[in-house]
Amino acid sequence: MGTISALLTGRGAVWLLVALLVQAAALLLAEAGPSVRYQHYPVYGDLISIRGAVLIGVLGLQAILVVLAFRRHLGPLVTWARTVFRPWQLILAFAVFVVTSSAPSRSLLQYAYELVLASGIQILGLAAVLLFASGSSKDSAGRRISTGLDRLLNASEGRGGLDRLTVLTACWVVFTATLLGRFSYEWYPHIPDEIAYIIQSRYMALGWLTAPTVPVHDAFLPEMMIVSGDRWYSIFPPGWPALLAIGQFLRVPMLVNPLLGGACVVLTRLLIGETHGRATARLSVLLLGASPWFLFMAMSWMSHLASLVFALLAAYAVARARRGRATWMVLAGSAVGAVSLVRPLEGIAVGLVLGTWSLWPHASRRFRLAPLWLGFGAAAVGALNLPYNQHLTGAPMRFPITEYFETHYPPGANALGFGPDRGFGWEGLDPYPGHGPLDIVVNSDLNSYALNVELFGWVSGSLLILALFIIAGRKRSGDWGYVAAAVCVVAIQSVYWFSGGPDFGARYWYLIITPCILLTARGIEWLRERSGSKEVVTLAVAALMFGTLLLFIPWRAIDKYHEYRGMSPEPARFTEAQGFGANDLILITGERHPDYHAAAILNPVRPTAGGPWFAWEARPGTKERLEEAYPGRRLWVVDGPSTAGDGYVVVEHPIAPERSEERTSP
């Protein structure tokens, strides 16, 4: 603690404060919020407001201070850059820095303006961080921190297993994700996918693959659910809901993803320890544990953590097999199959990457048949999708998700590939009608921008070190393997028309988080070697991570994910306040999402279970049909927030109409 105190009061401390103020002003200036949209800075007209003018004024004042202080460092920095980089490398790195600083807009003028503003803020934040690192590196406290990092990482190249740092980081991830899930996400689903996952896991926890329907089923049907005859079921594959069902059975479903996050930390340490050694693996663990993209996904109910766990397990098993233990390939193949049970397209990507790696030249002759074991394990586990599909859709190769989208959208709208018929016409999320090369460019730009923001939450942008290393760093063969894995995932996802949207960053690219972490760690190591001052690089990265933990993660938890997309546990509080009983049926008017979805999650999956039960006015006449189908239940009519404007409002009471003005506020 004495070292930290000395650092915060040393010569560079004021520039750490400036860097934090730059990041705080940028976050307050950004228009993110809990709605479905990409984060943008306000357009020029909105900056005239008092709030916008104050924030721009603060950034302008900081820019003046930074420019005045940075002048004496500019000459040595330029000299160093000329020594380490070729001109084209600097130009390319700067282009990545600029292009990923902002999400594209339909207006090219607005996009150009925002690129200039966002790049300027990133440059300002980076310069302030470098001023802090340069000044603090001359203090004994700064040198002690750099030396301490070297000791912490233990630069031995031995592989080895777990260590205290990994265990502590895994515990930190589980604790932080649980904390975020409880207070930011309120342990409540916010995205239609999550609602379907939870319902699916609930009936799977009862040992069912489908759930029996109820009369007037369209009034009880959330999105992403299919009714077929006397049963209904989720559109999603069984892998993630089966894991979540274990949590349902143990009555702790909210802890499944945080625990998977901890498992990802352990598997990342083991995998990178095999491919790059202990020091790089431990640095990667630190970066992963401080990644907002990773922590916020671990607090959610989404399936991406499960896919990542199995992908990491498969990669680690292949790495062990390449050391001459080919039997590990059975585990690797089984894990690849498990990925396909969670997210089938990602299973294809993981299978291609690891299949190629297993065929790569190696020393062990016993490894020659290993690819066959990989394929056998993947086929054995992945084939479980076939009887599951057969049971639900009547055809082993017809996935429920295909059945759902072909029912609600034109044929081929959700298929892989290219053509004018692809897409759902989601304005603001799908750049152009159909799917073609221009869509790939825009979707890639959107995901790259989201990655630049969410991966580390750094004020300088998250991709700068990674880009510098890929463009100019000295790479090992193992580094290229991670680059190839990331390219494969991105290429396969590009065949699909949708980018994944703004929910949890570049979530369709989520499997590239491990290559991004590893390549950033390698970039830090490379810069520490080439900078001439390990202390400056160490302190700069430490300052960036400090800003993320102090500012970015709390801001994102409050500004975006709290009551994201209008979802909250308000219906549960409303139910308690109104005193609804087991015999009550509550008909909600308004939008399906969030008005009905927020309440639908409270419905039991057993048709014979007691209530209260929540229904949705799916179409005119729903109330009359419910009254006829459920004559023994008391029927309430409640306006949802999109209709009432202020929480849920009882508009028809089965006993006391005079209470119709009662309401609760969200």
Side-chain angles (χ1 to χ4, degrees):
M1 290 300 294
T3 301
I4 300 297
S5 177
L7 184 67
L8 296 178
T9 57
R11 281 177 280 187
V14 65
W15 295 113
L16 177 60
L17 178 61
V18 169
L20 294 175
L21 288 174
V22 170
Q23 187 164 19
L27 295 177
L28 292 173
L29 192 63
E31 294 177 342
S35 59
V36 186
R37 63 178 179 181
Y38 286 95
Q39 178 179 317
H40 286 278
Y41 286 116
V43 296
Y44 16 87
D46 295 336
L47 295 179
I48 300 176
S49 66
I50 296 177
R51 181 175 177 271
V54 169
L55 292 173
I56 289 295
V58 169
L59 289 171
L61 178 60
Q62 292 166 336
I64 293 172
L65 295 175
V66 168
V67 168
L68 292 175
F70 205 79
R71 285 182 304 174
R72 62 188 181 91
H73 297 278
L74 191 58
L77 181 62
V78 170
T79 300
W80 172 79
R82 286 177 175 174
T83 303
V84 176
F85 302 98
R86 296 176 181 176
W88 70 266
Q89 292 172 332
L90 287 175
I91 293 171
L92 183 57
F94 184 71
V96 172
F97 181 83
V98 172
V99 170
T100 60
S101 67
S102 175
S105 302
R106 292 193 179 276
S107 167
L108 292 179
L109 180 61
Q110 180 178 334
Y111 184 35
Y113 145 80
E114 194 171 353
L115 285 177
V116 172
L117 177 60
S119 301
I121 291 175
Q122 287 187 169
I123 292 171
L124 178 59
L126 177 62
V129 164
L130 291 177
L131 286 171
F132 157 74
S134 177
S136 299
S137 66
K138 300 178 176 62
D139 296 333
S140 59
R143 290 191 294 270
R144 286 199 300 272
I145 286 181
S146 182
T147 303
L149 177 64
D150 287 331
R151 288 199 301 266
L152 180 66
L153 298 181
N154 187 7
S156 169
E157 290 302 315
R159 291 183 175 90
L162 298 182
D163 47 61
R164 184 180 300 177
L165 176 65
T166 302
V167 173
L168 290 176
T169 305
C171 291
W172 152 263
V173 167
V174 174
F175 172 77
T176 305
T178 302
L179 200 66
L180 290 169
R182 171 63 185 86
F183 293 103
S184 176
Y185 223 52
E186 299 183 278
W187 285 339
Y188 216 71
H190 289 63
I191 301 171
D193 306 49
E194 295 177 316
I195 296 166
Y197 284 135
I198 290 176
I199 294 174
Q200 189 176 6
S201 70
R202 285 177 178 171
Y203 63 68
M204 291 182 78
L206 297 173
W208 304 344
L209 292 181
T210 62
T213 59
V214 295
V216 197
H217 56 74
D218 60 312
F220 298 92
L221 194 66
E223 291 184 49
M224 312 291 184
M225 302 294 293
I226 297 174
V227 173
S228 178
D230 61 351
R231 59 182 183 163
W232 68 322
Y233 50 88
S234 166
I235 69 173
F236 294 113
W240 165 233
L243 290 177
L244 197 55
I246 299 173
Q248 298 283 7
F249 183 78
L250 298 175
R251 299 184 184 276
V252 287
M254 72 291 294
L255 297 183
V256 176
N257 254 344
L259 290 172
L260 290 179
C264 285
V265 172
V266 172
L267 289 168
T268 296
R269 165 67 181 88
L270 294 175
L271 172 62
I272 297 179
E274 288 288 328
T275 60
H276 284 76
R278 182 182 305 167
T280 305
R282 288 162 70 93
L283 179 55
S284 298
V285 161
L286 288 176
L287 292 170
L288 183 63
S291 167
W293 197 27
F294 181 65
L295 292 172
F296 283 116
M297 190 67 81
M299 82 170 181
S300 76
W301 301 87
M302 299 296 280
S303 62
H304 302 275
L305 256 293
S307 181
L308 180 62
V309 163
F310 289 124
L312 288 170
L313 178 60
Y316 173 63
V318 172
R320 290 297 303 269
R322 287 179 62 84
R323 288 168 54 187
R325 302 176 183 179
T327 52
W328 278 87
M329 293 300 286
V330 177
L331 174 60
S334 300
V336 171
V339 175
S340 71
L341 293 178
V342 177
R343 302 185 66 84
L345 192 58
E346 292 182 356
I348 294 174
V350 174
L352 286 175
V353 170
L354 296 185
T356 303
W357 192 19
S358 69
L359 292 170
W360 208 255
H362 48 80
S364 173
R365 293 181 179 179
R366 291 181 297 174
F367 198 76
R368 289 176 179 174
L369 295 178
L372 297 179
W373 289 112
L374 178 72
F376 172 77
V381 175
L384 294 176
N385 272 318
L386 303 181
Y388 180 80
N389 293 342
Q390 176 71 44
H391 180 71
L392 268 60
T393 68
M397 296 301 294
R398 183 173 176 81
F399 286 81
I401 192 170
T402 302
E403 182 176 283
Y404 178 84
F405 285 118
E406 288 188 356
T407 301
H408 292 82
Y409 295 94
N414 195 53
L416 298 176
F418 305 92
D421 58 338
R422 299 297 188 267
F424 299 158
W426 288 347
E427 189 174 344
L429 296 178
D430 185 15
Y432 301 100
H435 187 49
L438 190 57
D439 296 86
I440 293 177
V441 172
V442 176
N443 285 339
S444 298
D445 194 7
L446 287 169
N447 278 331
S448 298
Y449 163 70
L451 197 64
N452 190 52
V453 173
E454 304 280 353
L455 178 61
F456 297 120
W458 290 348
V459 66
S460 63
S462 301
L463 297 181
L464 178 59
I465 294 177
L466 182 154
L468 287 173
F469 177 68
I470 291 178
I471 293 169
R474 179 177 297 176
K475 290 167 282 295
R476 310 171 189 168
S477 59
D479 299 329
W480 285 116
Y482 283 86
V483 172
V487 170
C488 181
V489 171
V490 170
I492 287 179
Q493 291 293 347
S494 295
V495 179
Y496 187 54
W497 64 272
F498 186 43
S499 69
D503 302 328
F504 296 101
R507 65 185 183 93
Y508 279 16
W509 288 8
Y510 199 69
L511 289 184
I512 75 170
I513 190 172
T514 302
C516 288
I517 292 290
L518 177 276
L519 294 169
T520 302
R522 291 284 294 121
I524 293 171
E525 293 174 338
W526 171 70
L527 286 174
R528 277 164 56 89
E529 293 172 1
R530 298 300 306 271
S531 66
S533 175
K534 289 184 177 181
E535 292 82 3
V536 171
V537 176
T538 301
L539 291 171
V541 173
L544 292 170
M545 294 174 69
F546 180 66
T548 295
L549 297 175
L550 182 68
L551 297 174
F552 185 89
I553 291 178
W555 171 75
R556 184 64 92 204
I558 296 170
D559 182 73
K560 180 175 182 179
Y561 289 122
H562 184 64
E563 299 189 359
Y564 181 51
R565 298 181 70 162
M567 292 286 288
S568 76
E570 175 59 22
R573 296 189 286 264
F574 176 74
T575 298
E576 183 178 356
Q578 291 293 332
F580 293 136
N583 200 40
D584 286 337
L585 178 60
I586 300 96
L587 176 63
I588 295 176
T589 68
E591 300 293 334
R592 176 186 273 184
H593 190 95
D595 297 352
Y596 174 63
H597 277 169
I601 201 67
L602 302 176
N603 287 339
V605 294
R606 292 181 184 270
T608 57
W613 279 73
F614 293 87
W616 176 54
E617 192 177 41
R619 53 191 173 91
T622 299
K623 178 176 179 289
E624 289 73 19
R625 291 188 296 133
L626 289 172
E627 288 175 331
E628 182 180 352
Y630 299 92
R633 288 186 177 270
R634 301 193 311 162
L635 182 64
W636 305 61
V637 179
V638 173
D639 281 350
S642 66
T643 302
D646 184 19
Y648 291 83
V649 180
V650 177
V651 294
E652 289 189 31
H653 193 289
I655 297 177
E658 65 272 10
R659 297 178 58 194
S660 64
E661 296 303 319
E662 293 182 7
R663 67 175 62 201
T664 62
S665 297

